[in-house]
Amino acid sequence: MAQTKSKLSEVDPVWDRIIREGEEAISLEPLLGGLMHSCVLHHKSMEQALAFRVSMKLASGEMSEQLLREIADEAYAADVTIGQAARADLVAVFERDPACHRFLQPLMYFKGYQAIQAYRIGHWLWKQGRQDMAYFFQMRISETFGVDIHPACRVGKGIFLDHAHSIVFGETAVVGDNVSILHSVTLGGTGKEDEDRHPKIGDGVLIGAGAKVLGNITVGCCSRIAAGSVVLHDVPPESTVAGVPAKIVGKAGCSQPSVSMNQLLGGAD
């Protein structure tokens, strides 16, 4: 693992590009100099910058920035996959969000990206058996970003939360790789059972704004869930579902709906 981290620090095109864009931002807006230096240019790696950014966002009178940063640094040092997922998430935002023109933007300004990175630290805490601290992270992420992800939930890499307002992932939910989710989406349960009770979202799925996916159901890879739908049953791979309750209305319309972000029913890529 140490060798992997060393190689990553030597060749890191994502971080190198963020550094260049931070320097360019200062040249265009000198008043941002202090912010860019503290959040980007002062740090030697993307992991250090993320630890600083997350801790500054989640800090409060209850838990200082210094303590939170120590926790974040510990997580990144212990599990190299957290940083790898952060890079995949950032590239996903850049490729899928037409409002994102620089790698710098998600790190500095996009709360969906910041919320997912904070969740990843909380999830690491959960796996370490530090559940109370993980719950603290969940609470602060919800209060700060409006995104409520249970720390036990399993989330893949290459995740794009567009606008990221009022998003909820339940305790036993699973989200695959390269998934795109718009605002006001709930991956929830349907009762009070204390068991596996939340949805399993396959790779490459696109979930439209306001959709509710409820219960221990499976949404197949590369499917689309239309905005405002309520999904109560399994969704086959490469399908589009819509309505309340949701029904299959056709194929996904393209090979990778989460990447194309095509939400037109019946539309093709």
Side-chain angles (χ1 to χ4, degrees):
M1 182 179 295
Q3 186 178 10
T4 301
K5 292 179 184 176
S6 176
K7 290 180 179 179
L8 187 62
S9 64
E10 292 173 5
V11 181
D12 191 349
V14 173
W15 178 239
D16 289 344
R17 179 165 172 174
I18 291 172
I19 289 289
R20 292 196 305 270
E21 292 175 352
E23 292 170 343
E24 292 169 359
I26 294 174
S27 68
L28 294 172
E29 183 55 83
L31 291 177
L32 288 175
L35 179 64
M36 288 297 165
H37 275 283
S38 63
C39 293
V40 178
L41 302 181
H42 175 72
H43 304 286
K44 295 181 179 179
S45 70
M46 186 168 174
E47 284 79 1
Q48 290 183 6
L50 283 168
F52 178 82
R53 196 76 179 123
V54 167
S55 63
M56 289 295 290
K57 285 292 185 179
L58 300 188
S60 69
E62 297 175 327
M63 187 76 67
S64 71
E65 175 270 332
Q66 180 179 352
L67 288 174
L68 292 171
R69 187 174 178 184
E70 289 176 359
I71 293 170
D73 283 335
E74 182 184 0
Y76 285 118
D79 188 350
V80 68
T81 65
I82 302 176
Q84 293 170 348
R87 289 168 175 80
D89 295 341
L90 189 145
V91 173
V93 177
F94 178 79
E95 291 180 343
R96 302 174 204 171
D97 188 349
C100 184
H101 308 290
R102 295 170 295 165
F103 280 18
L104 180 71
Q105 286 174 265
L107 173 64
M108 292 298 299
Y109 310 124
F110 290 5
K111 70 173 186 172
Y113 178 79
Q114 295 170 359
I116 282 290
Q117 306 324 309
Y119 147 79
R120 294 193 186 284
I121 297 169
H123 182 62
W124 177 83
L125 288 164
W126 185 272
K127 292 191 297 182
Q128 300 302 308
R130 301 169 65 180
Q131 295 189 354
D132 284 321
M133 187 61 75
Y135 280 131
F136 180 85
F137 266 73
Q138 178 189 8
M139 176 189 73
R140 288 297 296 144
I141 293 165
S142 179
E143 292 172 346
T144 303
F145 302 116
V147 175
D148 193 349
I149 303 178
H150 194 287
C153 172
R154 290 180 286 151
V155 177
K157 60 184 182 297
I159 304 301
F160 173 35
L161 301 185
D162 194 10
H163 297 291
H165 184 73
S166 298
I167 288 177
V168 177
F169 295 176
E171 178 180 10
T172 60
V174 177
V175 178
D177 296 334
N178 300 316
V179 173
S180 294
I181 297 176
L182 282 82
H183 54 282
S184 300
V185 165
T186 297
L187 306 181
T190 57
K192 295 177 63 178
E193 65 274 13
D194 185 16
E195 54 189 27
D196 195 355
R197 61 194 184 279
H198 295 106
K200 313 298 179 281
I201 309 299
D203 298 343
V205 171
L206 171 61
I207 305 181
K212 314 302 177 188
V213 188
L214 306 177
N216 184 14
I217 61 176
T218 298
V219 177
C221 295
C222 299
S223 292
R224 297 189 303 175
I225 298 174
S229 299
V230 178
V231 184
L232 302 175
H233 302 286
D234 290 348
V235 177
E238 301 178 9
S239 301
T240 295
V241 297
V244 182
K247 297 180 180 179
I248 298 173
V249 296
K251 292 293 185 180
C254 58
S255 60
Q256 298 187 68
S258 67
V259 175
S260 71
M261 299 295 292
N262 180 0
Q263 300 181 69
L264 296 177
L265 298 184
D269 196 20

